[in-house]
């Protein structure tokens, strides 16, 4: 059976009339902040104390938008008779968000948990050069990173926590007899 001429137009107008009568669900953005999902990728925050300047994030970045500068310092020996060590000190850590494609590879490859996703997304600039955020700005974003989700109560305890708990109990047990007064002492 051949289609009736104009039936497609009638179907389209019916859809339009149906949606015109429904209430809109548009959120007025500047006045009402959107409710973002917990794993939103907004901006990258830097926890500078954990950064060892290993450069893995900069090497793995497909856009080459992470800039890191460092220098080496010698550290005195920890114990007498030990040898001096050298360590990298972070001079500059910057991310150019005009180049970043928000893939998260830098966060995944960081072995020391120095980079985190922050849900902040309001960092638009009028000048593209101001989208390169230095380490001070990245540190500010770190304070907006949400806490990690709670562990599953049915999951077994991580082996690192179990080992740390055992060591703490052993240390507490070793210090317990020393703190009790001995006979003849007051």
């Amino acid at each position: 059976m051949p289609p009736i001429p104009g039936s497609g137009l009638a179907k389209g107008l019916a859809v339009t009339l149906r949606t015109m009568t429904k209430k809109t669900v548009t959120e007025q953005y500047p006045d009402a902040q959107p409710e973002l999902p917990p794993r939103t990728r907004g901006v990258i925050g830097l926890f500078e104390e954990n950064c060892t300047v290993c450069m893995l994030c900069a090497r793995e970045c497909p856009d080459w938008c992470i800039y890191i500068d460092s220098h080496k310092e010698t550290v005195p020996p920890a114990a007498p008779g030990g040898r001096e060590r050298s360590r990298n000190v972070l001079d500059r850590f910057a991310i150019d968000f005009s180049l970043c494609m928000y893939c998260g590879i830098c966060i995944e490859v960081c072995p020391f948990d120095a980079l985190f996703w922050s849900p902040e997304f309001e960092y638009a600039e009028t000048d593209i050069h101001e989208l390169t955020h230095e380490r001070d700005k990245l540190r500010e974003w770190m304070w907006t990173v949400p806490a990690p989700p709670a562990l599953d109560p049915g999951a077994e305890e991580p082996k690192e926590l179990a080992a740390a708990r055992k060591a703490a109990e052993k240390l507490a047990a070793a210090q317990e007899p020393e703190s009790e007064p001995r006979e003849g002492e007051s």
Side-chain angles (χ1 to χ4, degrees), residues 80-102:
R83 65 182 184 97
E84 290 184 339
R85 307 260 179 193
S86 67
R87 68 179 183 113
N88 283 332
V89 177
L90 185 65
D91 291 330
R92 178 180 187 224
F93 192 105
I95 299 177
D96 188 351
F97 285 105
S98 65
L99 295 175
C100 182
M101 65 181 187
Y102 303 92

Side-chain angles (χ1 to χ4, degrees), residues 2 8 17 31-32 50-51 63-64 72 78 80 86 111 132 140 143 170 177:
L17 286 172
D31 301 327
N50 286 357
C51 184
D63 291 333
W64 292 84
K72 288 196 180 279
S86 67
T132 301
E140 288 176 27
W143 306 120
K170 190 175 181 182

